[in-house]
Amino acid sequence: MTELISLDGPDLRRTDVASVFVGQRYVRSREEALTVLEQTVAEWSGAPWPAGILSFSCFLSAEEDTVLTYAQCADGDSYQPFVRSLRGPAGAGAVEYRPRRSVVVPGASGVPGCVITATFDVDGAERQDRVMNSLVDVLDVPPAEQPPGMLSANFHTSVDATRVLNYAEWTSVEAHLAFLDSTTRVKTLRASGDVPGVRPIGFKRFHLHRSIAPRESSAATIPVRIS
């Protein structure tokens, strides 16, 4: 059996992640959400992990209507066969992404108070790169100009070239609410809206429910290059 340890969330700085699988499941109530989360964690915890899976995290939205799963993998081939062997909610489908670019606030540390996922529907790989780079240009500024409370913004592109995902770490829900009324928010809307073939799907706030990783995998991390 794989020896698993609990984490404070996925480590977005590790450089050995080649693929990320992100799934969302809508639920009708908090009770249903907690049942889905506990069943999913139990299934992942009770099965031997293949070597290519590095971490698994699951979240509940602030509205308590969506369960999010986020799995980091060293390769894209290990995830699907493993998940197909699981039963119940843990076997649900997920979109495969590649981690691409990150903006990290200098000196930011500590456990994020919430995670924001913002998703864009795009027309191909070239549009993925354009909207991602435009948003990074807005956010990768001197610390004094960065949104207060943002810890990091981590951009992922789907392997089928139809999606861009920003997994952003924030100190609190209140900090993100303040950002929505800021000039930086206006700039991000303009940066994505000015790229043809890009359609914002929206964002959701999430709180971590559980994050786990094999003991040997969680130790193999080094700082990621920010570009």
Side-chain angles (χ1 to χ4, degrees), residues 170 174-183 185-186 189 203 205:
W170 286 77
E174 292 75 18
H176 184 253
L177 287 172
F179 162 74
L180 296 180
D181 291 327
S182 70
T183 56
R185 166 66 168 169
V186 174
L189 292 174
F203 68 85
R205 301 183 191 93

Side-chain angles (χ1 to χ4, degrees), residues 8 11 20 28 55 68-69 78 81 89 91 136-137 144 150 156 164 166 169 174 179 192 194 211 224 226:
D8 291 330
D11 182 357
V20 172
R28 294 166 292 183
S55 79
L68 177 81
T69 58
S78 55
V136 168
D137 287 344
M150 189 186 82
H156 305 57
V164 171
N166 177 17
E169 299 172 307
E174 292 75 18
F179 162 74
S192 59
D194 286 349
S211 187
V224 67
I226 307 304

Side-chain angles (χ1 to χ4, degrees), residues 44-87:
W44 274 80
S45 300
W49 288 23
I53 298 181
L54 304 175
S55 79
F56 174 78
S57 304
C58 53
F59 304 78
L60 178 59
S61 66
E63 299 83 4
E64 300 183 339
D65 62 358
T66 307
V67 169
L68 177 81
T69 58
Y70 185 96
Q72 295 176 308
C73 301
D75 61 77
D77 297 329
S78 55
Y79 178 86
Q80 296 290 6
F82 172 72
V83 170
R84 284 196 294 267
S85 72
L86 304 177
R87 303 183 183 277

Side-chain angles (χ1 to χ4, degrees), residues 149-168:
M150 189 186 82
L151 302 175
S152 72
N154 307 276
F155 292 91
H156 305 57
T157 55
S158 65
V159 296
D160 64 2
T162 66
R163 294 284 188 273
V164 171
L165 171 72
N166 177 17
Y167 176 110

Side-chain angles (χ1 to χ4, degrees), residues 10-27:
D11 182 357
L12 280 298
R13 316 296 177 260
R14 62 187 303 164
T15 58
D16 54 349
V17 178
S19 292
V20 172
F21 289 83
V22 180
Q24 291 194 64
R25 174 173 177 149
Y26 296 97
V27 291

Side-chain angles (χ1 to χ4, degrees), residues 106-125:
S109 62
V111 179
C114 70
V115 166
I116 315 298
T117 60
T119 311
F120 303 85
D121 178 63
V122 298
D123 295 339

